[in-house]
Amino acid sequence: MARRKKIYEGKAKTLYEGPEPGTIVQYFKDDATAFNAEKHDVIEGKGVLNNILSEFFMLGLGQIGVPTHFLKRLNMREQLVRSCEIVPLEVIVRNYAAGSISKRLGIDEGTQLPRPIVEYCYKDDALGDPLVTEEHIAAFGWASQQDMDDILSLALRVNDFLSGMFLAVGIRLVDFKIEIGRIYDGDFQRLVVADEISPDSCRLWDINSGEKLDKDVFRRDLGSLTDAYSEVARRLGVMPNNPPAPGKPTLVN
Ligand code: UDP
């Protein structure tokens, strides 16, 4: 059996060279980490749930014309994506205060923000992904002004799409993080939503009870992470025994 080439091993995913040039296989692991990997555990089933949930969101975004790197799900743990150069920023969108903004600005968790707030963190584990401003991003050349305009518009479109999708199943989208990739087409580059969209990178609260259905369950030892993620998948109608039909590629051009 031929061994495939591992490109990168991250905290929650491993990336392998894809079957065709310009493609990558994303393998979703069961590993959960928090606090810059100080807390680590293996949670059976998490990778399968995130693979299917991320497919569901990326396909939906494709359907409303938001470009993503997603091509197709290959099996329960793997998906095929377009290879792209990741912009070294974590793009965070917040609708309600929670986590670091609550600590930083002393706003009670759960306070509705006057409008969605978009923040940027520089992707560097050794530095703990520090918050940066557009001044830093421009000065250090991480993204151009045109890129930043496009990234802001992508982030807000993803926010509207996800907020509505979750609201329909009784879940409040408190905040989330996305990553942006560059795809080169000859002389041109396009920006796409990359990485994953899953309860690992969102804060999701039940609208009525306030119950947390995201990675805070793990970060704050609030119970079973698989139960929480399964509840999200169940409400969206994409439990692993009833996943979205695989194999249909989304055009990203
Ligand atoms: N987030 C993420 N990866 C990170 C940092 C944050 O996916 O490395 C997500 C996190 O799950 C939350 C949002 O981004 O949905 C905002 O996180 P925050 O800045 O409040 O950080 P935290 O409280 O997790 O340190």
Side-chain angles (χ1 to χ4, degrees):
M1 207 158 64
R3 180 185 279 268
R4 60 184 169 177
K5 191 172 164 209
K6 191 189 282 188
I7 299 173
Y8 176 77
E9 173 134 22
K11 286 173 275 190
K13 293 189 294 299
T14 305
L15 305 184
Y16 296 97
E17 212 166 62
E20 288 159 39
T23 64
I24 283 181
V25 174
Q26 285 198 152
Y27 176 98
F28 286 74
K29 302 194 286 184
D30 280 341
D31 298 64
T33 60
F35 313 119
N36 213 1
E38 274 168 37
K39 180 170 173 154
H40 174 257
D41 209 345
V42 174
I43 293 168
E44 211 187 320
K46 181 178 85 88
V48 169
L49 285 158
N50 281 353
N51 184 26
I52 282 167
L53 282 163
S54 195
E55 171 194 24
F56 178 70
F57 297 125
M58 295 289 186
L59 281 177
L61 285 169
Q63 275 160 5
I64 62 157
V66 174
T68 79
H69 73 160
F70 184 84
L71 291 170
K72 67 175 178 182
R73 183 165 57 79
L74 298 171
N75 54 50
M76 295 309 267
R77 285 204 179 261
E78 296 176 322
Q79 51 181 242
L80 190 68
V81 300
R82 293 275 301 263
S83 139
C84 45
E85 185 185 295
I86 297 288
V87 175
L89 297 173
E90 304 211 320
V91 180
I92 293 172
V93 184
R94 302 179 183 277
N95 299 305
Y96 293 79
S100 67
I101 197 174
S102 290
K103 279 204 206 90
R104 221 181 313 123
L105 302 181
I107 309 173
D108 285 344
E109 287 211 322
T111 307
Q112 186 167 23
L113 299 169
R115 57 176 222 189
I117 295 179
V118 182
E119 295 176 344
Y120 306 100
C121 293
Y122 179 55
K123 262 172 75 68
D124 185 320
D125 282 339
L127 299 175
D129 299 336
L131 185 69
V132 291
T133 67
E134 291 196 45
E135 280 289 297
H136 300 104
I137 297 168
F140 297 120
W142 296 325
S144 68
Q145 188 53 56
Q146 177 65 57
D147 290 341
M148 292 313 291
D149 293 347
D150 293 347
I151 289 173
L152 179 63
S153 132
L154 281 174
L156 293 175
R157 287 190 76 194
V158 173
N159 185 42
D160 283 346
F161 173 76
L162 291 180
S163 294
M165 187 86 115
F166 283 121
L167 182 63
V169 296
I171 293 174
R172 170 163 297 149
L173 178 62
V174 172
D175 59 29
F176 66 93
K177 181 263 310 187
I178 50 170
E179 296 192 18
I180 303 292
R182 297 177 201 282
I183 292 181
Y184 294 99
D185 262 338
D187 287 347
F188 296 94
Q189 68 135 35
R190 287 180 305 119
L191 296 180
V192 299
V193 177
D195 190 48
E196 71 178 276
I197 299 179
S198 74
D200 267 7
S201 50
C202 301
R203 279 200 172 89
L204 305 170
W205 297 356
D206 180 89
I207 282 193
N208 297 315
S209 66
E211 185 192 353
K212 292 183 175 32
L213 300 169
D214 57 61
K215 207 165 102 178
D216 275 348
V217 172
F218 169 73
R219 293 189 190 99
R220 304 180 187 186
D221 295 316
L222 300 175
S224 156
L225 195 71
T226 353
D227 285 358
Y229 288 19
S230 299
E231 175 63 12
V232 175
R234 190 191 62 74
R235 290 197 199 183
L236 292 167
V238 290
M239 272 303 274
N241 57 5
N242 180 27
K248 192 160 174 284
T250 317
L251 287 175
V252 289
N253 55 359

